């Protein structure tokens, strides 16, 4: 199951941190329709509110796609997004939130 968790940062309730754990999620398990709907809702209602987006345990295909896509995205946006085949980016996540929020 694909689960999206979000955490509000203390003192910065208008900034969002997303954690997407793709452990045991295959590329065919991710619904493009769902991704589009979430993207539309976030863009329409919460534009500019993303503080960080962590994608951990990403399949190799997702990591590969990201390495190409990020070349065409604003560097400020790229800085906010971390795509990791493992969980090493979690140490960065805990700089911005408490472990109890995950």
């Amino acid at each position: 199951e694909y689960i999206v968790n979000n955490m509000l940062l203390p003192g910065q309730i208008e900034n969002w941190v997303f954690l997407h754990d793709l452990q045991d999620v295959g590329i065919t398990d991710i619904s493009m329709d769902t991704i589009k709907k979430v993207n539309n809702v976030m863009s329409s209602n919460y534009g500019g509110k993303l503080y960080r987006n962590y994608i951990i345990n990403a399949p190799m295909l997702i990591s590969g796609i990201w390495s190409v896509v990020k070349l065409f995205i604003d560097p400020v946006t790229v800085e906010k997004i971390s795509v990791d085949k493992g969980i090493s980016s979690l140490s960065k996540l805990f700089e911005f939130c408490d472990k109890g929020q995950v």
Side-chain angles (χ1 to χ4, degrees):
E1 182 176 324
Y2 180 67
I3 299 173
V4 177
N5 291 323
N6 64 309
M7 298 156 261
L8 298 177
L9 300 172
Q12 299 180 32
I13 59 172
E14 293 297 321
N15 293 323
W16 291 54
V17 175
F18 281 91
L19 172 62
H20 306 266
D21 186 352
L22 300 181
Q23 178 77 35
D24 299 324
V25 176
I27 192 69
T28 58
D29 296 328
I30 301 172
S31 164
M32 287 308 291
D33 187 49
T34 300
I35 291 172
K36 288 177 186 176
K37 286 178 185 176
V38 169
N39 186 48
N40 287 338
V41 168
M42 293 302 294
S43 296
S44 298
N45 299 296
Y46 305 104
K49 304 294 186 208
L50 178 66
Y51 186 67
R52 294 284 190 264
N53 186 3
Y54 295 93
I55 301 170
I56 60 171
N57 297 313
M60 188 178 294
L61 183 59
I62 297 290
S63 297
I65 291 170
W66 173 243
S67 67
V68 173
V69 168
K70 70 182 181 180
L71 298 173
F72 302 98
I73 297 176
D74 184 323
V76 173
T77 302
V78 172
E79 182 69 27
K80 294 178 180 186
I81 300 170
S82 174
V83 178
D84 196 342
K85 291 183 234 175
I87 59 170
S88 62
S89 61
L90 283 182
S91 61
K92 295 178 206 167
L93 170 68
F94 295 132
E95 293 174 15
F96 305 107
C97 71
D98 187 85
K99 290 182 181 181
Q101 290 180 290
V102 177

